[in-house]
Amino acid sequence: KQEVTQIPAALSVPEGENLVLNCSFTDSAIYNLQWFRQDPGKGLTSLLLIQSSQREQTSGRLNASLDKSSGRSTLYIAASQPGDSATYLCAVHGSSNTGKLIFGQGTTLQVKP
Amino acid sequence: EAQVTQNPRYLITVTGKKLTVTCSQNMNHEYMSWYRQDPGLGLRQIYYSMNVEVTDKGDVPEGYKVSRKEKRNFPLILESPSPNQTSLYFCASSMGTSGRMGTQYFGPGTRLLVL
């Protein structure tokens, strides 16, 4: 059974720092992996989607990488800003032709001015 | 505007009183799904639908029903709600055929309290 883990659960950094969020999964047979942002009391917003055949995706200050063989993905945030404060979740879509999506428990990021 | 809408946004009910939470998307997406989010447990998938009249169980389907009679709508039904179904519920949709899903678009959430 696929399990998705995100460490650390919480992270606090000063504004301007570059940072890396981690996501690991137990079954490397995945179709894609997505990173989401969730603000308190709000829904999830998709940030990046990486297909299993891709190594990385970039959007603005965000870069997500995928290493299927080691079961790991990272989300790199450059030059962090207070507006980046939120919970970041990763979710794995398995490749067994199902509609199941497995989420990690998220990393709550606080960027201090 | 492309969006996923859920109604109601907040609901307080009593044990055993049937309720329905509606979900609608205007992006012509094939795939739709329901999740619940609980502190310490994260987001867990309840049911999903690959297309009209095609539904399947997620990880926590007990106590819930769904139907997909139209492409745009995917209601979540609690036939006899219990206090352990108190949670924050999210609906999501994406393009996708044959189980190959793309970017997920989430609704704003429905906060349910069962007394």
Side-chain angles (χ1 to χ4, degrees), chain A residues 44-61:
Chain A
L44 281 70
T45 301
S46 180
L47 297 172
L48 290 164
L49 181 148
I50 312 179
Q51 300 291 353
S52 61
S53 58
Q54 297 174 318
R55 297 285 293 187
E56 65 178 69
Q57 281 282 2
T58 298
S59 176
R61 293 184 293 109

Side-chain angles (χ1 to χ4, degrees), chain B residues 14-63:
Chain B
V14 295
T15 299
K17 186 176 181 183
K18 180 180 178 180
L19 66 93
T20 299
V21 184
T22 65
C23 174
S24 182
Q25 50 93 4
N26 62 1
M27 295 168 278
N28 202 35
H29 285 165
E30 292 85 3
Y31 176 89
M32 297 184 76
S33 184
W34 276 102
Y35 302 87
R36 61 179 289 175
Q37 186 174 36
D38 303 288
L41 297 175
L43 267 159
R44 293 177 293 166
Q45 193 173 34
I46 303 170
Y47 270 96
Y48 62 90
S49 169
M50 305 273 233
N51 214 323
V52 175
E53 302 291 2
V54 181
T55 63
D56 210 342
K57 296 176 182 178
D59 287 330
V60 288
E62 296 79 18

Side-chain angles (χ1 to χ4, degrees), chain A residues 76-94:
Chain A
Y76 173 83
I77 303 177
S80 59
Q81 304 169 357
D84 294 330
S85 298
T87 297
Y88 292 81
L89 299 109
C90 66
V92 168
H93 175 201

Side-chain angles (χ1 to χ4, degrees), chain A:
Chain A
K1 181 183 174 184
Q2 179 75 271
E3 291 182 5
V4 181
T5 304
Q6 292 184 248
I7 295 173
L11 183 62
S12 181
V13 300
E15 182 177 4
E17 266 203 14
N18 302 324
L19 59 101
V20 174
L21 306 180
N22 298 297
C23 173
S24 61
F25 46 95
T26 55
D27 186 349
S28 62
I30 68 170
Y31 180 65
N32 64 41
L33 183 146
Q34 294 185 59
W35 283 93
F36 297 87
R37 168 186 174 135
Q38 185 177 28
D39 292 291
K42 299 289 177 70
L44 281 70
T45 301
S46 180
L47 297 172
L48 290 164
L49 181 148
I50 312 179
Q51 300 291 353
S52 61
S53 58
Q54 297 174 318
R55 297 285 293 187
E56 65 178 69
Q57 281 282 2
T58 298
S59 176
R61 293 184 293 109
L62 305 179
N63 176 279
S65 68
L66 176 64
D67 184 343
K68 269 180 42 175
S69 61
S70 67
R72 296 175 69 178
S73 175
T74 61
L75 180 67
Y76 173 83
I77 303 177
S80 59
Q81 304 169 357
D84 294 330
S85 298
T87 297
Y88 292 81
L89 299 109
C90 66
V92 168
H93 175 201
S95 63
S96 57
N97 199 31
T98 77
K100 287 195 172 183
L101 204 64
I102 308 296
F103 280 80
Q105 294 212 17
T107 295
T108 299
L109 171 66
Q110 182 184 32
V111 180
K112 297 180 178 177

